[in-house]
Amino acid sequence: SQTIHQWPATLVQPVGSPLSLECTVEGTSNPNLYWYRQAAGRGLQLLFYSVGIGQISSEVPQNLSASRPQDRQFILSSKKLLLSDSGFYLCAWSMGYQPQHFGDGTRLSIL
Amino acid sequence: KQEVTQIPAALSVPEGENLVLNCSFTDSAIYNLQWFRQDPGKGLTSLLLIQSSQREQTSGRLNASLDKSSGRSTLYIAASQPGDSATYLCAENSGGSNYKLTFGKGTLLTVNP
């Protein structure tokens, strides 16, 4: 069966520090991968998606970037975090138009 | 730009009651619609997916319907239980090569024992 792992579960970072969140999927090949951010009162916002290795599409201009160095690995990064980057970050995968499956999320707090 | 709206934002019901959660969308060319459940501090769990060619999908006590012409979907929960307490989100997929979902802000459901 397929599983998705996302870490860390919580993270507290100072403003201006770098960020790296990792997501891996097991039990499938060539999945579509997604990074979402969930902020209070704003719903779930798609940040990046990838349909293959090295293929990254950005949905909104922001202080973040994403990479897909391996088929089932998706990384969310920032060189310098802003206060506005605080939120709950979720990674998800799907096969085509099948349901998306989500990780348990990372709670990011910026101080 | 597609928009998805969920009403009400919060709902509190006594245990055993049947209830309906509403979702409306603006995309007339919807490809499919998905319902998710989110427990506090957790990721989303997929509940039901309805293709645009379908009218409804059922899983246990859950039944989701889709009316493309009116831009509406409903999630019906029968005989609600305290364990059903969670936030329920709907999301529409408009097709295309990116498989993106547009989410509503969710309905926070509380089922009181």
Side-chain angles (χ1 to χ4, degrees):
Chain A
S1 63
Q2 301 89 359
T3 57
I4 179 169
H5 303 280
Q6 190 179 342
W7 67 94
T10 59
L11 190 60
V12 180
Q13 293 284 99
V15 170
S17 64
L19 173 73
S20 180
L21 301 181
E22 189 163 344
C23 172
T24 59
V25 180
E26 297 178 355
T28 188
S29 297
N30 196 32
N32 301 322
L33 297 172
Y34 311 85
W35 277 112
Y36 291 89
R37 178 169 58 204
Q38 191 174 35
R42 294 194 60 186
L44 210 61
Q45 180 185 38
L46 179 64
L47 302 176
F48 301 94
Y49 66 92
S50 171
V51 297
I53 295 176
Q55 301 179 57
I56 309 293
S57 296
S58 173
E59 281 297 290
V60 292
Q62 56 206 328
N63 185 43
L64 303 168
S65 62
S67 61
R68 185 171 178 172
Q70 300 180 42
D71 181 43
R72 292 167 291 173
Q73 183 184 28
F74 207 21
I75 298 173
L76 183 68
S77 304
S78 174
K79 292 182 179 179
K80 286 187 177 182
L81 285 168
L82 306 172
L83 282 173
S84 59
D85 292 324
S86 293
F88 190 48
Y89 288 82
L90 290 160
C91 180
W93 72 271
S94 73
M95 298 302 295
Y97 290 110
Q98 295 304 306
Q100 290 188 14
H101 302 276
F102 285 76
D104 286 336
T106 295
R107 177 74 59 187
L108 176 63
S109 299
I110 311 299
L111 303 179
Chain B
K1 176 183 177 183
Q2 293 84 8
E3 290 186 4
V4 178
T5 304
Q6 291 186 249
I7 296 174
L11 180 64
S12 181
V13 301
E15 181 177 3
E17 190 164 298
N18 302 325
L19 60 99
V20 175
L21 305 180
N22 297 296
C23 172
S24 61
F25 49 91
T26 57
D27 184 4
S28 60
I30 185 173
Y31 187 83
N32 65 43
L33 186 132
Q34 300 178 34
W35 281 93
F36 295 86
R37 167 186 174 138
Q38 185 176 29
D39 292 295
K42 298 293 185 181
L44 279 65
T45 300
S46 178
L47 297 174
L48 290 164
L49 182 151
I50 312 176
Q51 302 290 354
S52 61
S53 58
Q54 298 174 319
R55 296 281 296 181
E56 63 179 48
Q57 281 285 336
T58 298
S59 176
R61 294 183 292 108
L62 305 180
N63 176 279
S65 68
L66 177 65
D67 185 341
K68 283 181 58 177
S69 61
S70 65
R72 294 182 180 181
S73 176
T74 62
L75 179 66
Y76 174 83
I77 302 178
S80 59
Q81 304 171 358
D84 294 330
S85 298
T87 297
Y88 290 81
L89 298 103
C90 67
E92 69 97 4
N93 186 320
S94 57
S97 60
N98 48 43
Y99 316 104
K100 295 187 297 182
L101 294 176
T102 301
F103 281 85
K105 292 184 179 180
T107 294
L108 175 61
L109 173 65
T110 302
V111 181
N112 301 301

